[in-house]
Amino acid sequence: MGRPDVQVVWFKRDLRVRDHAALIAAVDTGAPVLPLYVVEPSLIAHPHTSARHIELVLDGLTDLRESLGALGAPLVVRVGEVGEVLKDLSTQVDIATLHSHEEFGITATWERDRAVAAWCRARGVKYLEHRQSGAMRGLTSRDAWSRQRMKLFNQPLLDAPVAIRPTKVTPGPIPKLSDLGVTAEQMVYRQRGGERTGREVLHTWLTERVPGYERHLSSPVSGLSGCSRLSVHLALGTVSAREVHSRVQARKGEPGSPRFSLNAFEERLAWRDHFAQKLEDAPHIERSSLHPAFDNLRPASANSEALIAFTQGQTGYPMVDAVLRSLAATGWTTFRMRSMVTSFASYDLWLPWQESGRVLARWFTDYDPGIHWPQIQMQSGVTGMNTLRIYDPVKQQLDHDPTGEFVRRWVPELRDVPHSLLATPWLVAADERHGYPEPIVDHPAAVSQAKRRISAVRTQIRGDGSTQALLERHGSRRPPPSRRRK
Ligand SMILES: Cc1cc2nc3c(=O)[nH]c(=O)nc-3n(C[C@H](O)[C@H](O)[C@H](O)COP(=O)(O)OP(=O)(O)OC[C@H]3O[C@@H](n4cnc5c(N)ncnc54)[C@H](O)[C@@H]3O)c2cc1C
């Protein structure tokens, strides 16, 4: 008797058993299923990856192995490049179909997926990529985009399978960080991954924390519990966006539900897909500007003094430095604070957005290329479509840390600076600043120079039709539905 045909489910940014279209499709065939995760050395070494990202994946793998094990087929984990791993597995089992979810990621993962598709074609293995996101492959027009997205989101959620027919392939160990040659980062706090944690976060969000959401979108203090904190789970798929959407609809239907807050949250879930679609439609924006006229605007490599000040949180602007240091130590901040530090890097320090974007990608535990690169470009003024948003770090401090609690926590050198001067410490004597530097640039002067440089490019492209062409291709300047932007 020959070996049975096996369905391989290749887990990537979908580390869950609930609402998992690829897993259900494989189980429904009735054949043995091999659930697989491949820890890829090339992605570990990728300049966007940091130890915190890998740790988050390892949390997810531990959880997933347990859940799949309870269903009959523990997660098989291998370290290696995907092509090599599949080749090796195909000496042990006959792979009939490879299932995965579509991934809207960086060039490296796109090229890897194409190589896997070619491998499958060459060996007569069916490769099925299932949808889990509102973004779409090969979209030719944005016209019906929202409708098509809602069609996917309104389909019933998929329960976890009741049981999975296993193969005889040994699960193999889940590597530790040190096995992968990666050193753990010294963090004050890191969000935990895994489906179980993701479900808890979603539960507390919708049952306890969501009221007043719109008031917490900016503050790095109240945002800690006043924002959903679901980004790490959405980025790694430990909770499906469809499930989040469905739970939001259910909550909205409850009497006395905080509809305004729920609508604001729902809007951001739509932005997530809107931006992923931008990266899918223009994958080059991971490296070059959406509008090519902005490509040579900033120097190709960063001024090293400015880049070091940025990465060490030593710019001399307390709110910028507090956010940068908190990101390095905790991996999370609010949308407004992410925008502010990006604006500071791109306008005040005139750093190439690719370099500051890479620093931030490595710090954000929730790094999600589909959101990250379009946002970095928007906040750096290189799309040719969006209004320039330049943040004044002093105003941001007064508005979003009025008590000084956040800045004093992360910039302890300012302990002796009186409250009235905490946003402008350069006005106190140097010995009261305990080594905290003078501002690296004069914000008003740096910003007016940046505006002049950007205006010159905007004038050059105005009327040449290139912006209109981009709008037609990418749908809108602003995410839909675009009632309001915080
Ligand atoms: C320069 C820059 C880079 C960013 N990079 C990332 C990134 O790598 N990964 C990431 O998840 N978010 C990124 N964001 C978006 C946003 O800041 C975070 O999603 C949010 O702060 C995460 O916290 P939360 O889950 O509590 O968000 P909530 O406010 O509760 O939002 C819920 C979810 O909606 C999505 N979302 C929220 N805001 C946006 C937005 N403006 N655009 C698209 N989707 C959004 C996220 O998936 C988020 O988890 C970036 C923003 C900026 C300005």
Side-chain angles (χ1 to χ4, degrees):
M1 216 170 75
R3 299 189 299 188
D5 281 348
V6 162
Q7 305 282 311
V8 174
V9 181
W10 174 23
F11 286 83
K12 297 191 278 179
R13 285 179 173 260
D14 51 358
L15 303 181
R16 60 179 187 273
V17 292
R18 285 174 63 102
D19 197 40
H20 199 292
L23 180 62
I24 291 295
V27 171
D28 281 354
T29 63
V33 173
L34 193 163
L36 171 70
Y37 187 88
V38 184
V39 181
E40 298 161 86
S42 57
L43 289 187
I44 289 177
H46 194 281
H48 299 176
T49 310
S50 58
R52 64 192 68 183
H53 300 146
I54 304 165
E55 284 187 303
L56 193 76
V57 169
L58 298 180
D59 291 346
L61 298 187
T62 308
D63 219 15
L64 189 58
R65 173 165 282 180
E66 207 178 306
S67 312
L68 287 166
L71 299 173
L75 183 70
V76 170
V77 176
R78 295 289 185 269
V79 179
E81 297 309 325
V82 183
E84 292 302 311
V85 169
L86 288 174
K87 200 164 127 195
D88 180 58
L89 287 173
S90 64
T91 63
Q92 302 171 54
V93 292
D94 289 331
I95 304 174
T97 311
L98 176 67
H99 299 264
S100 72
H101 278 125
E102 287 173 341
E103 181 172 352
F104 298 97
I106 52 176
T107 311
T109 55
W110 164 246
E111 284 175 352
R112 175 215 47 206
D113 289 354
R114 281 183 34 187
V116 166
W119 183 89
C120 288
R121 263 195 314 278
R123 280 154 192 82
V125 173
K126 211 182 203 182
Y127 181 29
L128 292 180
E129 287 188 285
H130 303 259
R131 280 188 73 194
Q132 67 168 350
S133 157
M136 275 164 263
R137 278 271 146 83
L139 189 72
T140 48
S141 156
R142 272 275 188 154
D143 290 347
W145 186 84
S146 293
R147 208 174 50 241
Q148 290 185 44
R149 173 177 179 269
M150 287 323 294
K151 209 168 138 193
L152 175 79
F153 275 63
N154 288 332
Q155 279 165 19
L157 292 181
L158 302 166
D159 287 332
V162 178
I164 307 177
R165 237 181 110 188
T167 65
K168 291 202 169 68
V169 173
T170 51
I174 295 176
K176 294 193 190 61
L177 209 54
S178 53
D179 301 332
L180 301 169
V182 177
T183 310
E185 293 170 272
Q186 294 299 316
M187 293 178 75
V188 171
Y189 164 81
R190 174 180 71 79
Q191 260 187 283
R192 300 288 138 184
E195 185 171 12
R196 205 167 325 177
T197 311
R199 300 188 63 71
E200 277 166 24
V201 174
L202 178 59
H203 181 74
T204 64
W205 172 238
L206 291 179
T207 56
E208 298 166 21
R209 297 183 288 119
V210 74
Y213 167 60
E214 60 288 350
R215 292 197 301 276
H216 304 297
L217 281 160
S218 300
S219 162
V221 179
S222 73
L224 282 169
S225 59
C227 290
S228 72
R229 309 304 306 277
L230 280 165
S231 53
V232 291
H233 298 288
L234 289 166
L236 273 194
T238 39
V239 170
S240 87
R242 279 174 15 100
E243 172 153 19
V244 177
H245 168 81
S246 156
R247 296 275 308 269
V248 168
Q249 304 317 307
R251 183 78 174 91
K252 276 192 189 172
E254 290 171 12
S257 70
R259 286 187 78 91
F260 190 80
S261 302
L262 288 164
N263 285 340
F265 175 67
E266 201 179 6
E267 216 170 35
R268 274 140 190 99
L269 289 179
W271 294 1
R272 180 171 184 268
D273 289 335
H274 167 78
F275 286 112
Q277 188 71 54
K278 277 186 192 281
L279 184 65
E280 170 65 10
D281 293 345
H284 68 87
I285 65 172
E286 172 198 336
R287 287 182 305 274
S288 47
S289 304
L290 181 66
H291 197 304
F294 292 92
D295 260 346
N296 297 321
L297 185 64
R298 297 183 175 88
S301 59
N303 166 325
S304 56
E305 189 201 341
L307 188 62
I308 290 170
F310 186 76
T311 49
Q312 295 185 346
Q314 293 282 356
T315 68
Y317 286 94
M319 193 63 166
V320 172
D321 292 335
V323 171
L324 293 171
R325 295 178 193 188
S326 78
L327 276 170
T330 71
W332 187 86
T333 193
T334 56
F335 172 77
R336 171 64 65 101
M337 294 298 114
R338 293 183 201 215
S339 305
M340 179 192 70
V341 294
T342 306
S343 158
F344 193 84
S346 294
Y347 300 117
D348 295 68
L349 299 180
W350 205 240
L351 291 171
W353 57 264
Q354 293 89 336
E355 295 211 27
S356 48
R358 213 160 23 236
V359 171
L360 295 174
R362 293 173 65 83
W363 278 342
F364 294 167
T365 311
D366 60 23
Y367 170 54
D368 190 336
I371 305 177
H372 191 71
W373 295 108
Q375 280 291 351
I376 289 282
Q377 291 218 7
M378 266 174 61
Q379 308 297 341
S380 304
V382 295
T383 65
M385 305 199 295
N386 305 94
T387 317
L388 280 197
R389 285 176 193 278
I390 302 183
Y391 294 83
D392 175 346
V394 173
K395 180 176 185 308
Q396 292 303 312
Q397 183 169 337
L398 298 175
D399 288 353
H400 301 301
D401 187 30
T403 64
E405 170 192 353
F406 180 72
V407 163
R408 287 200 192 278
R409 157 131 207 238
W410 293 104
V411 192
E413 305 95 295
L414 301 182
R415 59 189 170 275
D416 293 335
V417 174
H419 184 71
S420 59
L421 294 176
L422 194 60
T424 51
W426 51 89
L427 297 178
V428 302
D431 59 348
E432 285 176 52
R433 282 188 265 123
H434 301 286
Y436 187 68
E438 294 274 327
I440 184 168
V441 290
D442 174 52
H443 172 74
V447 159
S448 66
Q449 187 180 31
K451 280 184 180 162
R452 267 199 312 279
R453 288 162 152 172
I454 290 181
S455 293
V457 181
R458 289 191 159 210
T459 307
Q460 176 205 321
I461 60 175
R462 195 169 298 134
D464 72 359
S466 55
T467 299
Q468 190 52 34
L470 283 173
L471 278 170
E472 277 162 22
R473 175 120 200 261
H474 298 285
S476 62
R477 285 187 169 86
R478 309 176 73 197
S482 55
R483 288 200 310 273
R484 204 167 38 84
R485 174 176 275 279
K486 273 275 168 189

